[in-house]
């Protein structure tokens, strides 16, 4: 982060210094978790559904925070009054204002100085993997900032933006949405130079009013492009392809996909052991790519990253080399671990919707060819009135794909279990338990040497705890992805 005085911060957010705050105090970082506070940090106290950050203001200051962004006056009881406060009506909105102001300051620097090139990625599935691939590609060219995990909302995105400093050449952002207007808000904080739309699918349907609402929300990212900016669109998704008609004149359109008319496309596609190799094609240029990522669905993410990188000035050969060297970077997202007794774990427990569930099950079957396959699946959240049918369909698909054993976890996901039964799963092929602890006991009682195990659910179903427990119980492991980490 660029250094700001408390007075400058107050001006950017329209707030007022109070308590022991001093105008000349220098802020060098921003945190929203008091446990991450350190010397020079500004602690943003956010009111959530379960926790109120204001209760942890004193702890943040004890750890070195020099300023607390708060939504109320410090108390007069001698407690809070001793803390350095920056008071605003809404701390989440002020966090966005601070990020907007800092990024604008960095982008207004002279042409002789580094200025962040901003890339934004949205879509129902694949955002985090595409973001990770882009961070890998851009990092080879210069100092790059990208979100940790899936920091893609009104809190996570500004926190990511505020990690930029005077040396940052590229800023890669993931923009998520669970209600109309979310993406418009995020693009007003960080207007992108390149905006990429991956897929319109069945995610967050409850808040969007259906798939057409999802498409409209995703398309709103393109309205933020400046003249000379680039819209990168998936030619294989008809809803995304149609977004080209709404791109404002003066903006470039670059398409990607398997389609023969895509500007950036894949030829000579080969899938072995659930990993994809292909020839990357752009115009007259061609280069071979062999992905390390597990799952054929990552072809779309790789092509999206390639198109964004090419639109940003990277060469095709460098893009192909970078894609071939990139591994899984974010926790609990198609992370593959080799456990004891020859067991392979595919941990994709961070998030789930019908599209990503289907992709993960297909990857399980491909990777487990010739071995016993086991799927432990939990709830897919925010599907609205289609939830029951969507869960039922995933249970039926597991049977059709010949997954050997299916365990469904939690009452909200029970329709997966009944769907499997109705599709013809007999005996012990399908089972149901209530909690992740029950699932761990089931796994320990049923695991066999050489199994290939998939663990997948929405984050709120907490199957990431199960995945971590399975890894921990197996002792030292060999990983083709990243170290396990509990999502925030």
């Amino acid at each position: 982060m660029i250094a700001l005085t408390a007075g400058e911060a107050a001006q950017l957010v329209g707030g007022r210094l109070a308590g022991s705050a001093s105008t000349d105090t220098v802020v060098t970082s921003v945190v929203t978790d008091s446990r991450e506070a350190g010397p020079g940090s500004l602690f943003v106290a956010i009111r959530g559904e379960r926790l109120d950050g204001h209760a942890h203001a004193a702890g943040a200051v004890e750890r070195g925070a020099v300023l607390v962004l708060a939504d109320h006056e410090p108390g007069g009881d001698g407690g809070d009054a001793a803390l350095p406060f920056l008071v605003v009506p809404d701390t989440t909105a002020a966090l966005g204002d601070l990020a907007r102001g800092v990024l604008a300051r960095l982008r207004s620097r002279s042409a002789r100085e580094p200025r962040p090139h901003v890339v934004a990625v949205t879509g129902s599935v694949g955002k985090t993997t595409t973001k990770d691939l882009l961070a890998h590609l851009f990092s080879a060219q210069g100092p790059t900032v990208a979100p940790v995990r899936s920091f893609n909302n009104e809190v996570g995105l500004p926190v990511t933006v505020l990690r930029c400093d005077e040396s940052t050449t590229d800023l890669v952002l993931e923009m998520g949405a669970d209600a109309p207007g979310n993406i418009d808000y995020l693009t007003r904080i960080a207007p992108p130079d390149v905006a990429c739309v991956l897929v319109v699918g069945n995610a967050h349907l409850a808040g969007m009013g259906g798939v057409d609402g999802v498409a409209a929300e995703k398309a709103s990212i393109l309205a933020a492009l400046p003249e000379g900016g680039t819209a990168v669109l998936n030619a294989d998704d008809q809803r995304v392809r149609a977004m080209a008609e709404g791109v404002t004149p003066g903006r470039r359109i670059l398409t990607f996909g398997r389609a023969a008319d895509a500007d950036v496309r894949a030829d000579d596609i080969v899938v072995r052991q659930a990993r994809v190799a292909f020839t990357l094609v752009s115009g007259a240029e061609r280069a071979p790519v062999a992905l390390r990522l597990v799952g054929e669905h990552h072809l779309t993410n790789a092509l999206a990253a390639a198109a964004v990188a090419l639109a940003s000035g990277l060469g095709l050969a460098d893009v192909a080399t970078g894609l071939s060297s990139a591994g899984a970077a974010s926790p609990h997202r198609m992370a593959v671990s080799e456990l004891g007794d020859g067991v392979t774990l595919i941990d994709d427990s961070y998030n789930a919707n019908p599209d990503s569930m289907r992709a993960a099950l297909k990857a399980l079957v491909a990777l487990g060819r010739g071995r016993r396959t086991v799927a432990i699946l939990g709830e897919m959240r925010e599907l609205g009135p289609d939830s029951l049918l969507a869960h039922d369909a995933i249970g039926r698909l597991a049977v059709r794909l010949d997954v050997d054993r299916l365990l469904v976890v939690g009452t909200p996901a029970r329709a997966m279990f009944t769907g499997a039964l109705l599709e013809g799963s007999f005996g012990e092929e399908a089972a149901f338990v209530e909690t992740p602890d029950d699932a761990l006991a089931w796994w320990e009682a049923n695991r066999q040497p050489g199994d290939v195990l998939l663990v997948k659910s929405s984050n709120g179903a907490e199957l990431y705890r199960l995945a971590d427990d399975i890894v921990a119980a197996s002792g030292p492991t060999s990983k083709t992805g990243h170290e396990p980490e509990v999502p925030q």
Side-chain angles (χ1 to χ4, degrees):
M1 177 182 170
I2 64 173
L4 294 173
T5 66
E8 289 174 318
Q11 185 175 19
L12 288 174
V13 303
R16 181 176 59 79
L17 297 176
S20 61
S22 169
T23 302
D24 297 329
T25 296
V26 177
V27 173
T28 56
S29 66
V30 172
V31 298
T32 58
D33 186 332
S34 63
R35 296 167 297 182
E36 298 175 357
S41 61
L42 182 157
F43 169 61
V44 183
I46 294 176
R47 295 185 188 274
E49 293 181 2
R50 294 179 298 173
L51 300 174
D52 183 358
H54 293 81
H56 302 280
V61 173
E62 289 177 2
R63 291 179 174 88
V66 295
L67 197 59
V68 175
L69 189 63
D71 64 12
H72 65 268
E73 298 284 342
D77 57 1
D80 283 355
L83 300 180
F85 274 77
L86 171 52
V87 181
V88 294
D90 183 326
T91 56
T92 299
L95 175 62
D97 291 339
L98 185 64
R100 181 186 300 109
V102 166
L103 181 58
R105 182 177 297 188
L106 287 170
R107 290 174 116 174
S108 67
R109 286 153 58 94
S110 74
R112 296 187 302 274
E113 300 173 297
R115 290 180 291 180
H117 168 75
V118 181
V119 168
V121 179
T122 194
S124 298
V125 293
K127 295 186 297 295
T128 298
T129 298
T130 303
K131 171 265 298 182
D132 288 340
L133 289 171
L134 284 168
H136 181 74
L137 293 172
F138 285 126
S139 293
Q141 311 296 316
T144 299
V145 171
V148 295
R149 296 181 288 276
S150 291
F151 277 22
N152 62 17
N153 62 11
E154 71 276 10
V155 174
L157 182 137
V159 166
T160 300
V161 170
L162 288 166
R163 288 171 43 218
C164 292
D165 61 24
E166 291 87 351
S167 70
T168 303
T169 57
D170 293 283
L171 171 60
V172 181
L173 295 172
E174 180 181 337
M175 294 190 176
D178 58 15
N182 288 163
I183 288 178
D184 176 66
Y185 175 75
L186 298 178
T187 58
R188 282 187 280 114
I189 294 172
D193 298 299
V194 179
C196 175
V197 184
L198 296 168
V199 175
V200 172
N202 299 311
H204 303 298
L205 294 180
M208 297 292 187
V211 70
D212 289 338
V214 174
E217 180 64 18
K218 301 304 181 188
S220 68
I221 197 172
L222 307 176
L225 287 169
E227 186 169 358
T230 303
V232 177
L233 304 176
N234 185 355
D236 298 334
D237 185 308
Q238 293 307 309
R239 286 188 173 87
V240 177
R241 179 188 278 261
M243 293 177 189
E245 299 176 4
V247 174
T248 305
R251 283 74 177 161
R252 179 187 179 197
I253 298 172
L254 192 68
T255 60
F256 66 90
R258 301 187 188 205
D261 63 344
D263 298 312
V264 179
R265 69 181 192 276
D267 281 350
D268 311 319
I269 301 168
V270 177
V271 182
R272 293 192 181 93
Q273 287 291 295
R275 291 176 173 86
V276 185
F278 62 96
T279 299
L280 179 64
V281 182
S282 177
E285 292 188 278
R286 303 170 65 89
V289 175
L291 296 180
R292 295 171 54 199
L293 301 174
V294 173
E296 184 178 355
H297 59 289
H298 285 310
L299 176 60
T300 297
N301 304 326
L303 289 172
V308 169
L310 292 171
S312 302
L314 276 68
L316 187 103
D318 289 337
V319 170
T321 299
L323 291 176
S324 298
S325 64
S330 291
H332 301 288
R333 293 189 181 267
M334 295 302 288
V336 178
S337 301
E338 300 299 333
L339 310 180
D341 297 330
V343 172
T344 300
L345 169 65
I346 306 171
D347 174 9
D348 199 32
S349 57
Y350 191 93
N351 210 347
N353 59 52
D355 296 320
S356 66
M357 273 286 191
R358 287 190 288 268
L361 284 170
K362 291 175 182 177
L364 167 66
V365 172
L367 189 62
R369 190 166 287 115
R371 301 162 65 182
R372 192 178 79 145
T373 52
V374 181
I376 301 180
L377 307 180
E379 180 189 8
M380 301 178 290
R381 294 192 165 190
E382 298 183 48
L383 297 182
D386 296 326
S387 181
L388 185 66
L389 290 176
H391 285 85
D392 174 271
I394 293 300
R396 293 174 185 269
L397 178 63
V399 176
R400 292 171 189 163
L401 291 174
D402 286 329
V403 174
D404 294 302
R405 299 292 296 274
L406 169 67
L407 178 67
V408 177
V409 185
T411 297
R414 190 180 179 90
M416 284 185 193
F417 172 61
T418 56
L421 295 181
L422 292 170
E423 192 64 24
S425 183
F426 301 108
E428 297 181 344
E429 292 176 353
F432 172 81
V433 296
E434 286 287 357
T435 70
D437 289 339
D438 296 334
L440 180 61
W442 180 93
W443 166 248
E444 291 174 343
N446 287 275
R447 67 176 286 171
Q448 293 181 8
D451 280 348
V452 182
L453 168 65
L454 168 69
V455 178
K456 185 165 179 63
S457 70
S458 287
N459 189 42
E462 298 188 349
L463 287 197
Y464 60 82
R465 293 196 293 109
L466 171 65
D468 287 343
D469 288 343
I470 289 172
V471 171
S474 298
T477 62
S478 172
K479 298 182 182 300
T480 60
H482 44 70
E483 295 299 320
E485 179 178 347
V486 177
Q488 293 185 350

